[in-house]
Amino acid sequence: MINYADVIVDLQAGDTGKGKVAHTKCAIGVYSHVVRYNGGGNAGHTIYHKGEKFVTHFIPVGVIYGIKSIIGLGCVVDPVKLEEEIIELEKGGFNVRENLFIDKRCHVILPKYVEEDSKDVKIGTTKTGNGQAYREKHNRTGVRAGDIFPPDMLIDIYEEFHGENWVEILFEGAQGFELDIDWGDYPYVTSSHCTVGSAVLNGVPPQKIRKIIGIAKAYRTYVGAKPFETDSEYFEMIREEGGEFGATTGRPRQINWFNLDDVIKAANINGVTDIVINKLDVLEKVGAFHYVYKGEECVLENSQDFIDFIDTVITKNCYSIVSIVWSRSPYEI
Ligand code: IMP
Ligand code: MG
């Protein structure tokens, strides 16, 4: 039986620091389960654990704390790359195999999907076969985890969460609102749902959701084929200071200013209760506090003015907001 579930969602175009927030929340130790609810090897979550850097793609961050972790049925999984990732995390001393499970309904990424995706030039995908796996799923011609993985790696989320034991779940999302298949800037989107609804699709009844934690960054980034970056003397500095290069592909991320209109929209559609805004230190180092609100680019003098203004506008415009936390790289939240 589900006691409660907290959901992490990205309010921008991914790479906002969801991994860091999930890692911090797991450290508090209240969750019995962590579930990844969408995406596949396209995701790259960077985690700093006891000073060491780890990048995960498929595996929920819960394994680092020995929490039972599930790749949910809304995800797609590449068995070869998953095995490589397990080995990498084992080298870090984590007991991955004991804590990692895949829902039997989860779809599998086949080598031929990766090959097809590697030819993409239109969207600027991560070339991980993600879109092809979802295409085959919806075409009802896909292969599911239950067809190919050993039974000891498989789980049925229904049995796990709706049985006799009480569970407290952290749902960890991938990508972000601007990349959502429906809400994003189609066709420059990913092939899964990146909203709180996606967590619900993974087997949690809506009324069991306690907190919806929206993650944003103090500026915007995007990786993909569409032009996104505008002209600013600061963007190159932000890219360097913020280390804005893809965790999965190493591509430079395009930069733009924090967009309040988009964050408010994403926060309201997701019904977020809490917002974490990461990487404020990058703007502080660069010394530029720009944002876009009601379609206009504006500038503030300093970090505190930036925080105060954005907090005020979000609090006024987001129906369900309870808290806004600002965070600097890389450890504290
Ligand atoms: P795909 O998900 O690999 O098909 O890529 C579709 C679009 O989503 C491309 O613009 C990718 O760069 C972007 N994308 C996919 N996953 C991520 C992510 O985890 N972070 C940021 N961008 C992503
Ligand atoms: Mg990422």
Side-chain angles (χ1 to χ4, degrees):
M1 286 174 293
I2 300 173
N3 192 3
Y4 60 79
D6 292 343
V7 180
I8 293 178
V9 287
D10 188 306
L11 303 177
Q12 294 168 317
D15 306 316
T16 54
K18 293 180 290 299
K20 170 182 162 178
V21 175
H23 180 241
T24 311
K25 292 198 75 73
C26 286
I28 301 164
V30 291
Y31 300 106
S32 60
H33 293 77
V34 181
V35 179
R36 261 284 303 279
Y37 60 82
N38 73 302
N42 51 354
H45 287 177
T46 308
I47 294 144
Y48 292 87
H49 186 75
K50 297 183 178 161
E52 231 186 300
K53 180 179 167 178
F54 298 94
V55 178
T56 62
H57 301 284
F58 298 99
I59 302 179
V61 70
V63 295
I64 286 181
Y65 287 102
I67 301 172
K68 203 164 183 180
S69 296
I70 302 174
I71 300 174
L73 52 100
C75 299
V76 290
V77 61
D78 181 328
V80 177
K81 292 199 188 127
L82 178 66
E83 182 60 25
E84 287 169 11
E85 197 175 317
I86 292 173
I87 292 168
E88 233 6 78
L89 282 177
E90 279 177 339
K91 279 190 212 153
F94 307 112
N95 198 346
V96 185
R97 285 179 217 272
E98 208 165 277
N99 297 308
L100 179 69
F101 298 89
I102 308 166
D103 188 281
K104 62 180 188 183
R105 301 167 187 87
C106 185
H107 275 252
V108 174
I109 300 171
L110 300 179
K112 63 182 177 187
Y113 304 162
V114 180
E115 200 189 314
E116 185 184 335
D117 199 15
S118 69
K119 297 186 187 118
D120 157 80
V121 284
K122 189 176 144 210
I123 308 298
T125 70
T126 57
K127 319 271 187 272
T128 51
N130 192 75
Q132 287 73 17
Y134 282 109
R135 179 189 69 203
E136 297 301 319
K137 167 178 172 170
H138 288 278
N139 198 38
R140 291 148 297 166
T141 44
V143 175
R144 302 209 289 179
D147 302 326
I148 64 153
F149 280 94
D152 60 346
M153 288 186 84
L154 295 171
I155 209 164
D156 180 333
I157 273 187
Y158 174 68
E159 288 169 8
E160 186 71 13
F161 293 164
H162 298 270
E164 277 180 14
N165 295 332
W166 285 103
V167 295
E168 293 82 26
I169 313 161
L170 179 65
F171 279 93
E172 188 189 338
Q175 290 83 49
F177 189 78
E178 293 174 39
L179 294 171
D180 179 90
I181 181 77
D182 288 322
W183 290 103
D185 187 11
Y186 193 90
Y188 298 103
V189 292
T190 190
S191 301
S192 67
H193 296 283
C194 316
T195 64
V196 65
S198 187
V200 172
L201 293 172
N202 278 259
V204 55
Q207 67 271 35
K208 291 292 183 184
I209 296 178
R210 185 181 67 157
K211 288 183 180 180
I212 301 166
I213 307 144
I215 320 297
K217 213 157 43 176
Y219 50 91
R220 291 170 86 193
T221 60
Y222 160 81
V223 257
K226 74 172 174 185
F228 174 87
E229 191 167 305
T230 46
D231 259 350
S232 166
E233 57 186 307
Y234 294 109
F235 290 158
E236 194 54 48
M237 289 191 263
I238 291 176
R239 187 161 26 247
E240 289 303 321
E241 280 299 338
E244 297 296 352
F245 298 87
T248 302
T249 60
R251 291 177 292 177
R253 296 173 182 150
Q254 299 187 61
I255 314 287
N256 221 315
W257 300 117
F258 188 85
N259 190 310
L260 259 166
D261 305 320
D262 289 349
V263 168
I264 290 167
K265 179 179 174 186
N268 281 333
I269 283 173
N270 280 299
V272 299
T273 55
D274 302 83
I275 292 184
V276 178
I277 304 177
N278 281 318
K279 286 193 159 178
L280 178 63
D281 56 311
V282 175
L283 290 191
E284 289 171 343
K285 279 185 197 134
V286 167
F289 302 95
H290 299 231
Y291 62 89
V292 173
Y293 183 44
K294 296 188 174 168
E296 300 280 326
E297 187 184 318
C298 313
V299 191
L300 286 166
E301 280 288 296
N302 58 53
S303 191
Q304 196 55 50
D305 287 357
F306 190 73
I307 293 174
D308 291 345
F309 180 78
I310 286 170
D311 279 1
T312 307
V313 175
I314 289 179
T315 307
K316 212 169 99 191
N317 289 285
C318 296
Y319 317 118
S320 45
I321 199 79
V322 176
S323 85
I324 305 171
V325 172
W326 290 80
S327 166
R328 294 172 174 83
S329 310
Y331 301 105
E332 42 123 10
I333 137 155

